[in-house]
Amino acid sequence: MKSVAILGGGPAGAFAAEQLASAGLRVVVFDEKLAWEKPCGGGLTYKAYSQYPFLIENSTPKRLVHETVLSAPRGGEATLKLTDPMVIYSRFDLNRMLLERAERAGAQIEKARVLKMTRQGAGWQLHTSGGAASADFCIVAMGARNPLREVGTELKPRDTMTALGYYVPGDQERIDLQFLPGLEGYIWIFPRCGHLSVGICGKGEPAAALRQRLERFMMERGISRKDGTFYSHLLPSLDSGSWQANRVAGDGWMAVGDSAGLVDPLTGEGLYYAIRSADLAARALLAEVGDLAAKLAHYRALLRHDFAADLEFGAHLAKRFFVGRILCGAVTERMVEFTRRSPRFSLIMQDLFAGRQPYAGLKRRLLRNLNGSLYDLGMSLGFARVVPRKSPGCQNP
Ligand SMILES: Cc1cc2nc3c(=O)[nH]c(=O)nc-3n(C[C@H](O)[C@H](O)[C@H](O)COP(=O)(O)OP(=O)(O)OC[C@H]3O[C@@H](n4cnc5c(N)ncnc54)[C@H](O)[C@@H]3O)c2cc1C
């Protein structure tokens, strides 16, 4: 294989292009917009920049945020100090940085809309708004709204969240996350360079209802929409039953990022998985593992082993987390209370935010810390006289 066409030049497509062009393949990226302000928080976790340090070590404008405030109506507020900050980019800047890296590695970047792909012998004929092109192999990276039905994840309504919001003038030092009763999703306020991104994501609720919830929240917080710009987009959030049959590769193609449904179903984090899946796709394509079919199987196995199995587990937890109940209250309310009152629980939350705590080991860690967290909670509620001084759980930080 000599030539690869990359359909879509967002984070996933641009990073795949950089990796493959660096290895000496002839790579063309087709994107209808190139760098653009895609509706997105633009937040990158420690997990992303610790594995790909160029995501923080660069001169591109960005915000480093060290504090998140979690809130839920009957759970109050909890401030979470982030030992490893969240890095927030404008998507225009992030996309441009990634496309420039791809170009420097030798990839050709074309501003064109991909209209169709048809088989031509063992390769592909591509029909774009700029004309026809051919390639030996295709990487599908056109995001959640991939218009080509025959390649990439087949997103059903149960596999997506609606995400919408406003870019509004303003500034603050912290990230705000608000959970609401009955909402399988959350509201966020992300500080970005020069403005705030205030948005909501939710599953199984019409966009109009989500918008109403968000506008009510903004009114309560005194955030004006007057000079704001509205945005909306689709966020993949695969149902637990959809992961096993997820179509991430097929004859002559691999899908990466949102086009492969690779987004954390609980947090909506997709940037890391876009870059990581692009990295794994490039590794599989370049690997000495036999024929093309073997490379496709290798990609599926790499994804599963690296993070897809954990995201599938996250999908099992998502509904229980957002709309479930525990200790006579909503899970999200209890989570906020525990974060506020228990230093041990707060540490677990910090690790979840940074991406250091996989979902698979979460239950075990929570149980291991349960005694200690309940002890913290009791003490913070003023039960010092009725709770024994030393709890056995305290030995288990
Ligand atoms: C409101 C919102 C907030 C989010 N916040 C965060 C966050 O804070 N942190 C985080 O990690 N993730 C976040 N995400 C998820 C994140 O935006 C995505 O997971 C990420 O952008 C996926 O990258 P991608 O390259 O796969 O797709 P995209 O970024 O969508 O890129 C796809 C590219 O394909 C191009 N394209 C599409 N169709 C065609 C075509 N026919 N021809 C040519 N080009 C085409 C587009 O122009 C685009 O550049 C958020 C998502 C939403 C909707």
Side-chain angles (χ1 to χ4, degrees):
M1 180 198 322
K2 293 200 177 70
S3 63
V4 179
I6 309 227
L7 318 183
F15 196 65
E18 180 188 340
Q19 299 303 298
L20 294 171
S22 303
L25 293 184
R26 206 164 67 243
V27 177
V28 187
V29 179
F30 297 98
D31 194 294
E32 60 182 338
K33 298 179 184 153
L34 295 181
W36 66 295
E37 195 53 60
K38 192 219 148 180
C40 180
L44 284 166
T45 55
Y46 167 79
K47 177 173 56 187
Y49 60 79
S50 59
Q51 285 187 55
Y52 301 101
F54 75 88
L55 289 171
I56 190 165
E57 293 161 9
N58 59 60
S59 56
T60 303
K62 57 186 136 344
R63 285 286 295 258
L64 267 58
V65 181
H66 296 264
E67 195 175 287
T68 296
V69 175
L70 307 171
S71 55
R74 280 188 298 271
E77 277 192 2
T79 300
L80 199 61
K81 297 281 176 204
L82 306 177
T83 38
D84 299 298
M86 179 85 98
V87 178
I88 304 182
Y89 285 94
S90 114
R91 280 299 301 272
F92 178 85
D93 291 335
L94 179 65
N95 284 26
R96 184 171 59 182
M97 174 177 83
L98 292 166
L99 282 167
E100 282 173 0
R101 286 175 62 93
E103 199 164 24
R104 276 201 301 277
Q108 183 186 334
I109 314 288
E110 294 278 334
K111 185 169 184 182
R113 180 171 176 74
V114 177
L115 304 169
K116 206 166 125 187
M117 56 194 282
T118 47
R119 268 312 214 178
Q120 189 182 51
W124 292 98
Q125 171 90 27
L126 295 169
H127 307 267
T128 78
S129 54
S134 55
D136 297 331
F137 193 84
C138 283
I139 301 266
V140 181
M142 288 182 285
R145 290 189 175 140
N146 166 22
L148 306 181
R149 298 286 104 214
E150 63 277 24
V151 289
T153 298
E154 297 166 284
L155 291 172
K156 311 257 172 10
R158 63 168 188 268
D159 298 320
T160 61
M161 276 191 177
T162 300
L164 54 88
Y166 293 89
Y167 298 122
V168 294
D171 190 23
Q172 63 179 45
E173 289 300 316
R174 64 192 215 193
I175 290 170
D176 278 292
L177 297 179
Q178 162 94 41
F179 302 97
L180 294 176
L183 174 66
E184 209 178 327
Y186 59 91
I187 288 177
W188 67 83
I189 306 177
F190 267 36
R192 311 206 331 176
C193 293
H195 64 275
L196 300 175
S197 168
V198 187
I200 186 168
C201 60
K203 203 173 201 178
E205 202 167 305
L210 288 172
R211 193 166 174 173
Q212 256 182 16
R213 282 194 194 251
L214 179 67
E215 292 180 354
R216 203 175 311 130
F217 167 85
M218 290 173 76
M219 218 166 62
E220 283 163 14
R221 296 274 178 128
I223 303 171
S224 166
R225 289 180 275 122
K226 198 171 131 277
D227 298 312
T229 312
F230 181 72
Y231 61 77
S232 76
H233 207 78
L234 207 60
L235 189 59
S237 172
L238 295 197
D239 187 70
S240 52
S242 303
W243 283 94
Q244 288 289 332
N246 187 18
R247 200 174 57 172
V248 296
D251 193 19
W253 62 269
M254 289 174 186
V256 290
D258 281 15
S259 284
L262 301 173
V263 173
D264 185 319
L266 261 165
T267 62
E269 178 182 11
L271 288 169
Y272 166 73
Y273 299 106
I275 288 167
R276 187 71 185 158
S277 59
D279 191 359
L280 299 179
R283 278 191 219 174
L285 215 48
L286 297 168
E288 308 275 340
V289 289
D291 63 4
L292 204 50
K295 290 178 193 292
L296 302 180
H298 190 42
Y299 177 49
R300 289 192 193 96
L302 284 175
L303 276 183
R304 183 123 202 103
H305 176 74
D306 201 84
F307 65 79
D310 200 53
L311 294 190
E312 181 180 342
F313 194 70
H316 280 286
L317 301 180
K319 203 174 187 94
R320 266 181 275 171
F321 171 74
F322 285 121
V323 294
R325 292 181 69 77
I326 190 170
L327 300 172
C328 307
V331 171
T332 47
E333 288 166 8
R334 293 290 172 254
M335 179 194 71
V336 173
E337 278 174 19
F338 269 65
T339 306
R340 183 172 61 246
R341 296 182 188 278
S342 164
R344 281 160 249 248
F345 192 83
S346 181
L347 269 182
I348 298 176
M349 291 300 291
Q350 273 185 29
D351 283 350
L352 270 171
F353 265 76
R356 275 189 298 258
Q357 173 61 58
Y359 292 125
L362 181 60
K363 191 172 162 194
R364 205 170 347 114
R365 187 167 170 202
L366 283 170
L367 286 175
R368 214 174 53 224
N369 281 272
L370 185 64
N371 277 352
S373 297
L374 286 172
Y375 177 78
D376 289 343
L377 189 70
M379 294 305 276
S380 78
L381 288 169
F383 293 166
R385 269 168 292 155
V386 288
V387 177
R389 255 200 164 280
K390 206 159 172 62
S391 151
C394 295
Q395 289 139 17
N396 244 347

